[in-house]
Amino acid sequence: MAVGFLIFILLYVCLTHRENVSPHPEPLVLQMGSCRFQLDLSVHAALYPHLQRYYCRELTSEKAWCHGPRSAPLLLLAIKSHPASRKRRAVLRRTWAQQRMMGGFWLQPVFLIGTASEDSLAQVLLQEIQAFRDVLWWDFAESPSNHSLKERCLLHWVHNRCQRAAYVFKANDDIFVNPYELTQYLRQLPRVADSIHGNLANEEPVKRTGDAAVPCLLYPLEHYPPFIAGGTILPGAMILKLYQVSLQLPVFPLDEAYLGFLALAANINLRHEGRFQVWGLVKDELEAYKESITVHGVSMERMEEVWKELWN
């Protein structure tokens, strides 16, 4: 009862005394091919006011995440997760989301989580946070449109608290990651720090119906700018540019498209790599996992099986 009451007070203070700042000094004109356009802040503020008004504030953050051995570059594994996905996080902690040295990098996992709506779930989450100390917890409510706040607030946090990160690998908690292939990719690719990397979505059509629907008033074009779908590598050298444009662009309610808008505004190249398997594998064989950087759509049971086979 005491823990639940403390959580309630903490969330009430954070939600009712949030700084009221405007992170959009001047609108940016974006260029996509021959098309020039702006994202209208007034429309975004009318349709998604909470996305535009929210000021990034962490409920939990650990200085140790950005330390590690000075001799090794820091690779931050930033994993979007839902408060209710406790079992999935447990599997990731037993497999690829472990603090370790690999391929010359220091790997540091951090789970990115918003607040839970149920008191009982919030209490369980708080116990998990205290036990594992690997959750970056914000005081916005967990919801699909708020995934874009995880994008913006991650940039805010890395820029202000974790500038030592050489790379940020960003993914959802429903993918399998081969950390060895990830680090080899970073070591072997020339000029790897000059681009954002992953599976590139080009000419992705804008949906006007369904869960991912976007009204014409919000975004009138028929296709999105190129963006990365699934696991994404953000070089630490690009964080400042992305953070700066995030202060000027309105927060778009679809997270992957939002990062695409930020990259376009910051004039950052996106590089396609086919070993980011966003559509799963044609054949679920161990050799395919060995050669892939990420695989989407792997069950928790299969993830643990593959991990044991790979490292044994």
Side-chain angles (χ1 to χ4, degrees):
M1 180 65 69
V3 173
F5 180 75
L6 287 175
I7 294 173
F8 173 80
I9 293 298
L10 177 62
L11 295 183
Y12 177 81
V13 170
C14 288
L15 291 172
T16 57
H17 293 80
R18 185 175 297 131
E19 296 178 44
N20 186 15
V21 298
S22 176
H24 310 289
E26 293 181 5
L28 286 179
V29 177
L30 304 180
Q31 182 84 36
M32 188 169 63
S34 60
C35 181
R36 291 166 61 86
F37 66 97
Q38 288 183 356
L39 297 179
D40 193 323
L41 174 58
S42 62
V43 175
H44 280 72
L47 296 178
Y48 295 94
H50 64 291
L51 295 183
Q52 318 313 319
R53 291 200 301 256
Y54 178 73
Y55 179 80
C56 297
R57 190 198 307 273
E58 305 91 26
L59 297 177
T60 58
S61 179
E62 299 282 341
K63 292 182 179 180
W65 294 339
C66 300
H67 291 170
R70 283 289 172 185
S71 58
L74 173 63
L75 172 55
L76 190 72
L77 307 177
I79 309 157
K80 291 181 184 177
S81 189
H82 190 281
S85 299
R86 182 172 55 88
K87 291 182 179 179
R88 189 174 294 278
R89 289 190 293 276
V91 170
L92 267 57
R93 291 186 182 106
R94 293 195 292 268
T95 56
W96 61 268
Q98 297 180 32
Q99 190 183 68
R100 57 156 66 86
M101 282 288 301
M102 182 166 286
F105 289 87
W106 178 252
L107 275 57
Q108 174 63 61
V110 177
F111 291 96
L112 314 179
I113 299 180
T115 60
S117 57
E118 303 88 359
D119 288 345
S120 58
L121 184 57
Q123 290 187 36
V124 172
L125 177 60
L126 184 59
Q127 292 169 0
E128 180 185 345
I129 290 171
Q130 293 171 340
F132 295 98
R133 308 185 77 87
D134 60 0
V135 173
L136 181 53
W137 189 23
W138 288 290
D139 65 350
F140 57 77
E142 189 73 45
S143 71
S145 65
N146 283 355
H147 289 178
S148 293
L149 289 179
K150 292 185 180 182
E151 298 284 344
R152 181 163 71 83
C153 292
L154 176 64
L155 294 173
H156 176 274
W157 180 80
V158 174
H159 171 69
N160 288 286
R161 303 286 185 88
C162 199
Q163 294 184 2
R164 186 172 168 257
Y167 295 95
V168 177
F169 173 77
K170 185 174 59 65
N172 293 332
D173 64 4
D174 61 348
I175 68 170
F176 175 85
V177 177
N178 184 334
Y180 177 78
E181 284 301 311
L182 174 61
T183 56
Q184 292 307 299
Y185 178 83
L186 294 175
R187 288 172 59 88
Q188 296 171 3
L189 186 70
R191 302 178 64 85
V192 66
D194 291 350
S195 305
I196 296 174
H197 305 256
N199 194 296
L200 185 63
N202 244 327
E203 295 289 313
E204 189 72 16
V206 179
K207 296 180 180 179
R208 303 301 183 190
T209 59
D211 294 339
V214 170
C216 290
L217 188 63
L218 191 73
Y219 181 68
L221 304 185
E222 293 302 314
H223 294 87
Y224 289 115
F227 61 83
I228 298 297
T232 306
I233 297 172
L234 302 176
M238 301 294 181
I239 296 295
L240 175 59
K241 287 184 178 181
L242 292 168
Y243 171 69
Q244 288 175 333
V245 297
S246 77
L247 300 178
Q248 295 177 277
L249 287 185
V251 180
F252 197 75
L254 302 179
D255 54 345
E256 291 176 341
Y258 174 55
L259 183 59
F261 285 123
L262 295 180
L264 181 64
N267 196 27
I268 296 176
N269 293 326
L270 306 181
R271 188 182 191 280
H272 176 73
E273 172 54 54
R275 286 182 291 165
F276 287 85
Q277 306 278 3
V278 298
W279 305 114
L281 299 172
V282 177
K283 292 185 177 180
D284 188 1
E285 298 175 345
L286 185 62
E287 194 63 30
Y289 288 95
K290 286 183 180 180
E291 297 172 354
S292 299
I293 297 175
T294 68
V295 180
H296 184 263
V298 183
S299 70
M300 291 186 286
E301 295 77 11
R302 181 59 177 150
M303 192 177 295
E304 293 205 88
E305 289 175 0
V306 169
W307 184 259
K308 291 176 182 177
E309 292 178 15
L310 280 179
W311 301 110
N312 287 340

